[in-house]
Amino acid sequence: MVHLAHLLMKNYHGGHVAIRLALGGCANRPFFRIVVAYNKRARDSKYLEQVGCYDPLPNGHNEKLVGLNIERLKHWIGCGAHITKPVEKLLGLSGFFPLHPMTITNAERLRKRRALKAITASEEETPGD
Amino acid sequence: MLLPHPPQARSRRCPASYIRFRARGQVHGGAQPEVGGAAMLLALSRCWAPLSRRPLPLLVPARGRKSRHDPPAKSKAGRLKVPPPVDPAELLVVSERYRQYRLVLQALRMEFKQEVMRKHREERLDKESGAEAMEEHLKLMAWNSAENERLRKKREERLRREEEELQDRKLQGALNRAKLMEDFLKQKEREVLQLQEEARNFITPENLDERIKECLDNPRNYNFAIDKEGRVVKRSVPS
C-alpha cells in the first residue's frame, strides 16, 4: 500500500529548515538577523521565526553584540533544523555550543603568524642596530 | 609638487577595474615616497579625502567587467591554479577537533529532540486529562443534562396535549354515536307511529263487511287529469 497522506499534507517538499543569518541594514552598515527559514527561500525573504540578531560592526565599547532566543533555538534544533557555519561559530563563541574547530584553528594560525611577524621584526631590528 | 585631484573627478575618469587593481597594492592612504607617476598621483589624491569618504579597498577579485562566457586574458595564459597548501599535522588536529565537535553536537541535538517530544507528550496528556479538561467535561455534562431536561419537558407537554386531544375526540365520537343512536331510535319510533296511524285505516276481517258496504255506497270518479305538480286540471273534473 502506498502511503501518500503525509506527502499530500506536506507544505514544502524536498527541503529542510535552516537557522541562518539574514542580512539587513543600510549601505556600509550590515546587520544580521538569526532567522529560522526554509532552505530554498531567498536569504532575506519570508522566514518562519526570528531567533536572534548579530551586529558585525563593533560598538562604542569595541563589542560586537549578539542576541539569542535560547528557548526557541532549542525547540527548532529539536525539530531537526540545520545550522549554517557562521551561526554555529556564533553559538560556539556564546557558549551554547562547544567552540567551532575552525574558530580555534584560525585563532591558532593568527597567533602563529603574529609570532612569526614579531620574530622577523625583531630580527630586522637587531641587524639594523 | 602636483596638485591632488578631488576623489569624485578621479572616480569619474578612471575605470573601476583600474581602481581595484591599484587598491590591491596600496591599502593605506598614508604618506607615500616622492616618486613620480600616476600611482603617486592617485595615492596623493586618496590621502586628500577624509577616512569616511575614502573608497574601501576590495581585497578579493570580483567579476566586474567579464561574464562567464568571455575568454581569460592573455596575461593569464600560463597561470597554474594551485590549491592552498595543507599542513598534515594541522589537518590531523583539525579532523580530530571536528570529530569531537560533531559528537557533542549530535548529543545536543538528541537532547533537544527528546525535550521537544517530552513537551508535546505533556501537552497532549494535559489536554486529555488535566484540571481544565475535567471542568470542561463537567460543564459539558451539565449542559447535556440541561438539554435533556428541556427536551423532556417539551416531550411531556406534547404528550399531554395529545392525550387531551385524544380524549376530546373520543368524547366527541361517543357523543356522535349516541346522537346517531338516538336519531335512529327516533326514526324507528316515528315509523312505528306512522304505521300505527296507518293501521287504524287498515281493512281487517272485522271491518271487511263495513268497508265493502262503504265503498259500494260511495262511488268515486277518478277520471280526471293531473299535471306534473300534482294539481288537478279543473276543466277535466267530472261533474
Side-chain angles (χ1 to χ4, degrees), chain B residues 73-74 108 114 190 228 239:
Chain B
K74 275 185 278 210
L108 277 172
Q114 275 185 9
R190 246 184 277 133
K228 279 189 186 163
S239 54

Side-chain angles (χ1 to χ4, degrees), chain B residues 17-212:
Chain B
S17 58
Y18 188 59
I19 294 172
R20 224 174 275 139
F21 194 71
R22 288 292 161 202
R24 264 201 225 120
Q26 297 150 15
V27 175
H28 310 292
Q32 298 289 322
E34 294 285 320
V35 181
M40 195 195 86
L41 192 73
L42 275 168
L44 278 173
S45 66
R46 205 171 284 113
C47 306
W48 197 250
L51 199 70
S52 56
R53 293 197 61 206
R54 277 187 227 175
L56 289 169
L58 288 156
L59 297 165
V60 287
R63 277 206 163 261
R65 279 157 61 93
K66 285 198 179 170
S67 84
R68 69 194 321 161
H69 309 290
D70 296 326
K74 275 185 278 210
S75 58
K76 305 274 185 279
R79 182 162 174 249
L80 198 74
K81 280 201 283 192
V82 170
V86 170
D87 181 16
E90 200 194 33
L91 183 68
L92 204 71
V93 165
V94 166
S95 312
E96 180 57 32
R97 281 193 193 135
Y98 260 115
R99 196 182 62 82
Q100 285 171 359
Y101 179 76
R102 286 195 186 116
L103 271 174
V104 175
L105 233 61
Q106 202 178 6
L108 277 172
R109 250 191 273 271
M110 293 290 180
E111 178 71 39
F112 296 150
K113 209 195 299 221
Q114 275 185 9
E115 219 177 284
V116 166
M117 298 233 293
R118 205 185 315 138
K119 230 190 288 182
H120 281 173
R121 209 184 314 133
E122 271 173 22
E123 236 174 79
R124 195 162 42 86
L125 286 172
D126 275 341
K127 210 157 61 79
E128 278 170 19
S129 69
E132 295 132 356
M134 278 300 174
E135 48 180 70
E136 199 177 328
H137 179 74
L138 287 169
K139 207 155 52 85
L140 286 170
M141 289 301 280
W143 180 83
N144 193 28
S145 31
E147 274 290 308
N148 281 352
E149 275 295 317
R150 190 173 65 86
L151 291 171
R152 192 167 60 82
K153 281 202 180 60
K154 272 179 97 170
R155 199 176 342 125
E156 278 176 7
E157 180 70 33
R158 180 172 54 87
L159 285 172
R160 200 174 48 76
R161 230 181 298 124
E162 275 180 6
E163 275 282 326
E164 275 181 18
E165 274 171 20
L166 195 69
Q167 292 302 322
D168 281 342
R169 260 187 269 124
K170 272 193 177 162
L171 197 70
Q172 208 64 38
L175 283 172
N176 283 358
R177 271 200 301 278
K179 207 158 81 69
L180 281 171
M181 196 57 77
E182 226 179 274
D183 286 345
F184 179 70
L185 286 173
K186 276 203 185 107
Q187 179 76 19
K188 286 296 174 222
E189 201 139 313
R190 246 184 277 133
E191 278 180 11
V192 162
L193 283 171
Q194 177 96 14
L195 208 60
Q196 275 180 353
E197 285 287 327
E198 282 172 12
R200 227 179 289 144
N201 293 342
F202 282 171
I203 301 175
T204 61
E206 294 93 13
N207 289 359
L208 187 63
D209 293 329
E210 288 171 11
R211 288 299 264 274
I212 290 172

